[in-house]
């Protein structure tokens, strides 16, 4: 009898819980992939931030497959989502974004712009041009390019992110705005394809990395080592994020030429594995983007929009002037909120640690002497 009462009690609690859940406004969170670690963190942080504000939230990761992500978004819509936070994979997302707009669902493009779409109004991200500038500056400093001469030029090879991700253009152009003047002066030589900017689509495509895939970057680096870079010793590799930086470093380490000294390799995302790599003197730099703050800001934006308020997002600036381009989908400029990225090298590894970016066990490994 007692058992039956307990079972009934559990059922009642479960029912009232699911009733309470049903009563809550639902936010669907669609993240692009898990092979780049940051998105796992982003998804979890977004869900937690939404629940903290009293929403029901669900997160799904699309495995870098737009068809899969579209099904996930469609399922959010079927469940009655009132807002969607979307980090998309490619323009294949546009059909479901159109469906969302038709249902008056608020869509916030999260970190990645939804290209060629006019069916949404808001984008929240980091200053992606500045991310690239910081990558370029870290190479400029490490190679002491200001003092380099044309008689002893430094050499670099270039990698870019996914050609389907508009961020990859901003990262690259930011970096090249720092590096091009040295290339023009002849003190920095590019080994392999050299798109001066991302607008040189033919050459950009040659250095781009489909879906930000580590194995593809590794393979391309191996090809360079046995091809264009065979008779030079590279001083630097422009790598657009940490996942690709580590893949590139793996290829470099297998080459006897780089066994004692690796080229300067840039990165982005302050991934734990890259923080250790920087600490160990392998990867040179990363760019810290506090995605916990981005997630909180995105949910605050969703909350204000759902309540019909005029958005005001502390810690973010609305992109204007030149930076307004970051919010240009190709068919429309959307309102774009930018957070600030920070360069991290061996000398300031504590910055993301102090920001609470890692769980305790990871933090202690980064800070251990
Ligand atoms: C993000 C980067 C990330 C890359 C690969 C970009 O859109 O801004 O932080 O490293 O995608 O996932």
């Amino acid at each position: 009898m007692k058992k039956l009462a307990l079972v009934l009690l559990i059922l009642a609690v479960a029912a009232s819980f699911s009733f309470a859940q049903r009563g809550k406004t639902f936010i669907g969170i669609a993240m692009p992939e898990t092979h780049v670690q940051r998105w796992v963190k982003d998804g979890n942080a977004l869900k937690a931030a939404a629940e903290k504000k009293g929403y029901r939230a669900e997160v799904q990761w699309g495995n870098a497959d737009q068809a899969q992500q579209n099904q996930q978004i469609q399922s959010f819509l079927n469940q009655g989502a009132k807002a969607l936070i979307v980090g998309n994979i490619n323009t294949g997302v546009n059909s479901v974004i159109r469906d969302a707009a038709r249902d008056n669902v608020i869509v916030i493009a999260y970190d990645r712009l939804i290209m060629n779409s006019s069916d949404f109004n808001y984008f929240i991200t980091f200053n992606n041009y500045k991310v690239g500038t910081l990558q370029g500056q870290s190479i400029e400093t490490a190679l002491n390019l200001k003092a380099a001469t044309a008689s002893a030029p430094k050499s670099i090879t270039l990698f870019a992110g996914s050609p389907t991700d508009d961020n990859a253009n901003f990262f690259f152009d930011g970096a090249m705005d720092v590096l091009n003047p040295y290339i023009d002066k002849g003190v920095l030589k590019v080994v392999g394809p050299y798109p001066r900017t991302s607008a040189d689509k033919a050459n950009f495509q040659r250095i781009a990395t489909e879906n930000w895939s580590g194995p593809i970057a590794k393979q391309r680096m191996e090809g360079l080592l046995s091809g264009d870079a065979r008779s030079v010793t590279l001083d630097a590799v422009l790598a657009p994020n940490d996942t690709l930086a580590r893949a590139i470093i793996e290829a470099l380490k297998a080459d006897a030429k780089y066994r004692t000294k690796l080229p300067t390799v840039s990165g982005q995302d302050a991934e734990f594995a890259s923080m250790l790599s920087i600490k160990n003197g392998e990867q040179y730099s990363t760019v810290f983007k506090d995605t916990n703050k981005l997630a909180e800001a995105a949910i605050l934006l969703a909350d204000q929009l759902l309540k019909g308020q005029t958005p005001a997002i502390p810690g973010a600036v609305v992109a204007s002037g030149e930076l307004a381009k970051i919010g240009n989908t190709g068919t429309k400029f959307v309102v774009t909120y930018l957070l600030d990225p920070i360069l991290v090298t061996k000398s300031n590894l504590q910055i993301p640690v102090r920001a609470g970016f890692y769980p305790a066990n990871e933090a202690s490994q980064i800070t251990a002497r």
Side-chain angles (χ1 to χ4, degrees):
M1 213 44 213
K2 257 193 191 156
K3 241 191 199 161
L4 181 65
L6 189 64
V7 168
L8 287 175
L9 182 69
I10 290 170
L11 284 176
V13 169
S16 74
F17 180 73
S18 84
F19 183 74
Q21 289 293 307
R22 266 206 300 275
K24 289 178 176 176
T25 302
F26 177 45
I27 300 182
I29 301 162
M31 296 287 103
E33 63 212 20
T34 55
H35 75 270
V36 174
Q37 197 198 7
R38 67 156 286 188
W39 297 108
V40 178
K41 231 181 194 166
D42 284 85
N44 292 332
L46 282 161
K47 184 171 191 289
E51 285 170 351
K52 205 165 139 202
K53 282 216 173 294
Y55 292 97
R56 182 166 85 81
E58 189 183 318
V59 55
Q60 294 284 347
W61 287 269
N63 199 23
D65 174 352
Q66 193 59 61
Q68 191 172 327
Q69 186 179 61
N70 284 6
Q71 280 172 10
Q72 294 166 341
I73 293 174
Q74 204 62 61
S75 144
F76 292 150
L77 295 175
N78 295 343
Q79 290 178 63
K82 294 284 178 271
L84 295 175
I85 312 279
V86 181
N88 74 95
I89 297 142
N90 59 47
T91 49
V93 76
N94 294 11
S95 57
V96 281
I97 299 304
R98 199 169 312 126
D99 291 347
R102 199 178 309 129
D103 295 351
N104 292 319
V105 173
I106 291 163
V107 173
I108 298 174
Y110 181 82
D111 198 77
R112 290 182 178 175
L113 190 58
I114 300 165
M115 297 307 287
N116 303 331
S117 171
S118 309
D119 294 317
F120 71 104
N121 298 313
Y122 296 95
F123 179 30
I124 189 157
T125 184
F126 290 83
N127 180 338
N128 295 317
Y129 176 77
K130 184 171 171 188
V131 169
T133 307
L134 294 175
Q135 293 172 335
Q137 285 169 349
S138 81
I139 291 172
E140 179 189 40
T141 308
L143 269 51
N144 195 9
L145 288 177
K146 287 188 176 137
T149 59
S151 55
K154 307 282 182 181
S155 61
I156 187 169
T157 197
L158 308 171
F159 280 73
S162 183
T164 56
D165 181 348
D166 195 41
N167 291 344
N169 299 320
F170 287 98
F171 301 150
F172 185 73
D173 291 335
M176 294 315 284
D177 278 350
V178 176
L179 300 176
N180 278 329
Y182 296 105
I183 299 169
D184 294 344
K185 269 198 276 176
V187 303
L188 182 65
K189 297 255 184 254
V190 178
V191 177
Y194 170 38
R196 194 181 164 82
T197 70
S198 63
D200 173 358
K201 283 297 161 222
N203 281 308
F204 188 75
Q205 192 65 39
R206 292 193 180 102
I207 65 158
T209 315
E210 195 66 35
N211 279 333
W212 296 93
S213 150
I216 292 178
K218 185 175 176 204
Q219 211 177 23
R220 179 165 172 255
M221 189 69 239
E222 287 165 351
L224 282 159
L225 289 170
S226 59
D228 287 339
R230 204 162 79 175
S231 55
V232 278
T233 301
L234 289 168
D235 297 294
V237 180
L238 175 68
N241 81 350
D242 287 348
T243 302
L244 304 192
R246 292 196 307 277
I248 290 164
I249 289 172
E250 256 185 66
L252 289 164
K253 279 167 89 175
D255 185 319
K257 212 194 284 176
Y258 299 106
R259 205 142 290 155
T260 48
K261 191 177 178 293
L262 284 165
T264 296
V265 181
S266 58
Q268 164 177 203
D269 292 335
E271 287 190 356
F272 172 62
S274 282
M275 293 294 280
L276 292 185
S277 174
I278 294 172
K279 184 184 170 189
N280 296 334
E282 294 191 343
Q283 191 174 323
Y284 179 75
S285 65
T286 185
V287 177
F288 171 47
K289 305 192 295 186
D290 195 335
T291 50
N292 291 328
K293 292 218 172 100
L294 185 69
E296 258 177 44
I299 295 301
L300 179 63
L301 177 59
D303 181 52
Q304 292 170 345
L305 294 171
L306 285 164
K307 290 177 176 154
Q309 299 165 350
T310 307
I313 310 297
V317 297
V318 176
S320 63
E322 266 293 287
L323 290 176
K325 278 197 290 196
I326 294 181
N328 180 9
T329 72
T331 57
K332 170 180 180 176
F333 282 76
V334 295
V335 180
T336 296
Y337 295 90
L338 302 177
L339 277 71
D340 204 33
I342 301 172
L343 182 69
V344 172
T345 60
K346 205 171 181 169
S347 62
N348 65 352
L349 286 172
Q350 318 82 338
I351 289 188
V353 176
R354 285 205 196 111
F357 198 55
Y358 308 98
N361 67 320
E362 291 182 1
S364 62
Q365 289 179 67
I366 296 167
T367 50
R369 284 180 189 275

